[in-house]
Amino acid sequence: MTAFLKKTALNYPDITYLYSAGKSVEGRDLWVLIVSDKPREHELLEPEVKIVANMHGNEVVGREACIYLIDIFTRNYGKNEWITRYINDTRLHLMLSMNPDGHEKGIAGDRMGYTGRENAHGIDLNRNFPAQYPEHIEMSGGKEPEPETVAVMKWLQQYPFVLSTNLHGGSLVANYPWDDSVTGRDGEYTPTKDDVLFVGLAYRYARAHPNMWKTGRRCGLQVDGDTFLNGITNGAGWYHLAGGMQDWQYMHTNSLEITIEMGCFKFPSNDMLPKLWSDHEYALLSFLEMAHIGVKGVVKDEYGKPVANATVSVENGKEMKTTSDGEYWRILAPGDHEMRLVINGTLLVKNITLAACGKNEDSKPIIRRGRGSVRIAIVGVNEKASKILRQMAADSCTDETYLADDLSLIIVPDGINLQNKARIIHDEYPAAVLAVADGTLESVVYSAGEKVPKIFHKEALERSLNKELGGGVKCAESNHPLLSSEVAKLLDDLQVPAAFQVGVGLGCDADAVQKQGAAVAGIAKMLEKILTRDAVSEFSIRPSVSPADHFSASEAMQATSAAIPVLEDERGCSKRVDLPNLRMTQMGTGLPPYTLVMAIEKKTEALVYEMASSFCDSGAADVQNILKRSTLLFMPEIPHTQLSCHDYATLVPFEQLLATVVGLLPEIDLIMMFGTGGMKVRYINQTSSIAGTIAEKYKSLHNHMGGKTDICSGIPSERDTIKQFSWDDSVEWRKTDTMLVQTGCCYENGGESKLWAENEPAIVGSLLARTRGMLVHTDARRGSIIDSVGKERELVKGSIFIPLANGRYVFRLKKDGEFWTDVSAEISDAIPFHIREIGARGGMNLALIAMFALVLLLICCFIVRGRFVGFFNRKGLFPGGRGRDGFERIPLYEQDDDDEDTVVDMHKL
């Protein structure tokens, strides 16, 4: 760490400065690196912000996150607009380790231990600050402040810090003061005067983390973990802590600090750190930006001289003191505030309003969203477009993932009536202008030649429009407002000839305003990608919620229950399966093998919906082969689904539900369930042992299941990434091969929209392997098949699929209780073997009997070789012929060749 800091300060002297805030018990420096455009001096009204990590020596994720953050800031200064602006406007101090002595004692791989937690004197530094209630101090906090604590207290009062975070490990939550309660008891919510603001700061961090913000159980102090609402907690409301740094800081400085528990693994191995950092990357950047949200100024006396130690306060907030230069900073949440200044005993009152997003925008001629580097002007060209754009602007306030991070939108709802068009838009220098109207679903390109990005495809845009907005109210053939002379004149008046100019018609459905707004947001994202890919790209880090964590309004169509009617009615790629109190849709052949794909948690429903939508749209060969060789039954939602994430030690609680489903659909021979609570696979081999085979395949294809142990913190006895379970023998039902795929940790995995992307290769690969085997299908009322070891399987409704590995197999068939014939099949990687139904055409006629007799004669001719060569079948000599046993034997060939190694043996026919 020390070498990294010194090297960074040497390599980037213009924006970094390294200093020591003090020494540890064993004499190690408490290094602090400043990152700022003028790192060696405080600039007037520039806020000072700090991050403290590794206060507990064995909690190292925060320390490593600081290293990553420093690397990103220094390497992207001058290249990335947001990073450059932040460094120019902020002085950021990073203390990578407040407890370097404890870190030296820590053990890599420690998940929830305590070795290295305390300093060299065995004192917990986060219990060692002077306490608000000294009688609550614990033994671990010591009697006097330790050298590290003394140094940090001096440091906190040396600089006018405005905002701070203290990075810990052991859970996943954003914690805000007070940490200590009046009674000294756990679980007592104890608010500060700035409680509303602290809730906002904590939630700002949690919401930008892919998983922290989600309500649910995670690791913590309790035996079964802790549950946090929206990923935040009042410190004392969780457990009381006397002598903590954030409480002392709130009492004695102007800084507002929250404590971040960064994950359940306190001292993870090096290979885990990049993933853990990436989860916190946007959260840290988003939180740091809060130093610039609020008011700031310089308090001066009647002679114009700065006033030091003047009191600045707002209602429902603590008093803060001005600096020696009269500076003050007050972070504020959106809303109306009354600000009080007390100068030499004189009270001054000033009213301040910080407008919330979307407030008072109903009549604004221009609405702005985003602070990205790619500026796009979106202009409404008629009254319906104005409604659509105002709806889009409103929706962007409630969903931070609605717009791409790199976008800066200038939304002009009523473009035709806008005054001073040229001055307002031209000064923004937009890279693109998007004209929006209702009317026919179409796009119109107004630019020409070099102004049109090379990778822009008009046809692709229109396909997307029809996919998302088609199927509703149809427009009149003459409804093409984008082609009017008024729109052309509007674009000329904007005087932005260098911008790429394109228009979109959004249809004529008056009730689809929200959906149309989402489509406009999606088109803006598309334009951002097109414009940046045509330009020189940069390494870009943006301080916002991860856009991959949730679905936009248009994307949600494929990942929610809204997808099913589209798949069944509009695209016709699936059909409804009517079952009592159950909603299911079917894809594929309608023949075995039947796989039931189901979500058993609320969190994984999106995965199953998105899987069905993807299979409907996919032209990939593997997906097509799955649908041509099997039947998939999708059940994205189950009755009384589980709302909380947890690990599984058994699948028995699902037996009643599965017994009902399989009782109604006995063709199902494999159940694939999706949950969370781990990154692993569980299976039950009940009949054909296919579940174990497919589980192994799934594990081998999943990027995060390659090891032997689960990377998540679940049930200690369930750490294996693959394990066999069993059903309850006392429950009577047609028990079926089943596998449970646990797709993510309760606390550190990606969000819902990442699940399909992370699991798609494993799902497709395992379902493709699932189709390897032999299909038997007949019109017999009753039938069974017996393998070489005497195991007999029932033909459900005359059908069965037998999964097989490579090799040659012999089976004995029974129809209506009587032995019928033996059949053998050779299975190879390329050629699955099917025995198809031919039965429902009526009885055999004399011509077919004669033909079959001829077949028998020919077989006798080849009896020396003991097998019937498929040559005749492939040459069409017996098209659709039916043998005495009622089976047609057709190897499925990719090509029509004469390879005798792929024939069907019939030794005893």
Side-chain angles (χ1 to χ4, degrees), residues 216-404:
R217 186 177 64 86
R218 61 205 69 187
C219 56
L221 300 178
Q222 308 303 316
V223 175
D224 296 324
D226 294 308
T227 299
F228 301 108
L229 182 64
N230 298 322
I232 65 175
T233 185
N234 172 261
W238 184 13
Y239 64 93
H240 91 281
L241 183 162
M245 182 166 68
Q246 74 179 9
D247 279 12
W248 184 88
Q249 199 165 176
Y250 185 72
M251 290 186 290
H252 298 285
T253 76
N254 289 341
S255 181
L256 302 174
E257 180 174 275
I258 64 172
T259 299
I260 303 298
E261 300 286 346
M262 301 190 75
C264 297
F265 229 117
K266 291 187 175 182
F267 203 137
S269 55
N270 288 338
D271 62 323
M272 298 173 65
L273 290 171
K275 172 66 169 65
L276 295 176
W277 150 246
S278 67
D279 282 349
H280 288 273
E281 174 182 0
Y282 289 103
L284 274 169
L285 294 172
S286 181
F287 176 78
L288 291 175
E289 193 176 36
M290 289 300 293
H292 297 279
I293 306 299
V295 295
K296 62 183 178 181
V298 176
V299 177
K300 297 180 180 180
D301 61 17
E302 64 269 27
Y303 304 107
K305 294 183 179 180
V307 178
N309 291 317
T311 301
V312 180
S313 65
V314 295
E315 78 285 10
N316 301 320
K318 65 168 286 186
E319 294 181 348
M320 296 183 175
K321 298 293 185 181
T322 58
T323 67
S324 58
D325 294 324
E327 304 160 288
Y328 67 87
W329 297 263
R330 195 52 168 99
I331 299 173
L332 296 172
D336 296 326
H337 301 274
E338 183 181 86
M339 187 171 179
R340 298 180 177 89
L341 303 177
V342 179
I343 306 174
N344 299 326
T346 302
L347 174 65
L348 302 175
V349 178
K350 183 177 181 180
N351 293 322
I352 300 169
T353 299
L354 294 183
C357 179
K359 189 173 182 180
N360 301 323
E361 288 183 343
D362 291 344
S363 59
K364 276 190 175 182
I366 294 181
I367 302 170
R368 302 176 192 277
R369 290 290 183 269
R371 292 185 290 271
S373 59
V374 181
R375 292 182 176 87
I376 296 177
I378 305 178
V379 182
V381 302
N382 56 21
E383 184 179 353
K384 178 64 184 297
S386 176
K387 293 179 180 178
I388 293 170
L389 295 186
R390 292 193 186 279
Q391 181 66 53
M392 183 193 79
D395 289 344
S396 68
C397 291
T398 57
D399 183 355
E400 295 183 60
T401 68
Y402 197 79
L403 300 175

Side-chain angles (χ1 to χ4, degrees), residues 37-110:
D37 62 330
K38 295 181 180 178
R40 290 171 175 80
E41 61 182 90
H42 170 75
E43 297 182 74
L44 189 69
L45 288 179
E46 183 172 273
E48 309 261 350
V49 180
K50 67 180 174 69
I51 299 176
V52 178
N54 204 211
M55 189 180 197
H56 291 145
N58 66 329
E59 297 170 11
V60 303
V61 177
R63 169 189 169 116
E64 299 299 323
C66 288
I67 291 175
Y68 280 102
L69 191 62
I70 290 168
D71 186 58
I72 285 174
F73 273 5
T74 53
R75 296 216 283 161
N76 287 278
Y77 180 72
K79 301 175 183 177
N80 176 275
E81 181 182 350
W82 186 90
I83 287 175
T84 303
R85 185 173 67 246
Y86 189 83
I87 291 175
N88 288 342
D89 296 344
T90 318
R91 197 174 184 215
L92 177 63
H93 303 242
L94 298 104
M95 179 180 283
L96 276 65
S97 181
M98 185 180 163
N99 186 5
D101 298 348
H103 179 266
E104 290 299 312
K105 297 178 176 64
I107 303 170
D110 175 16

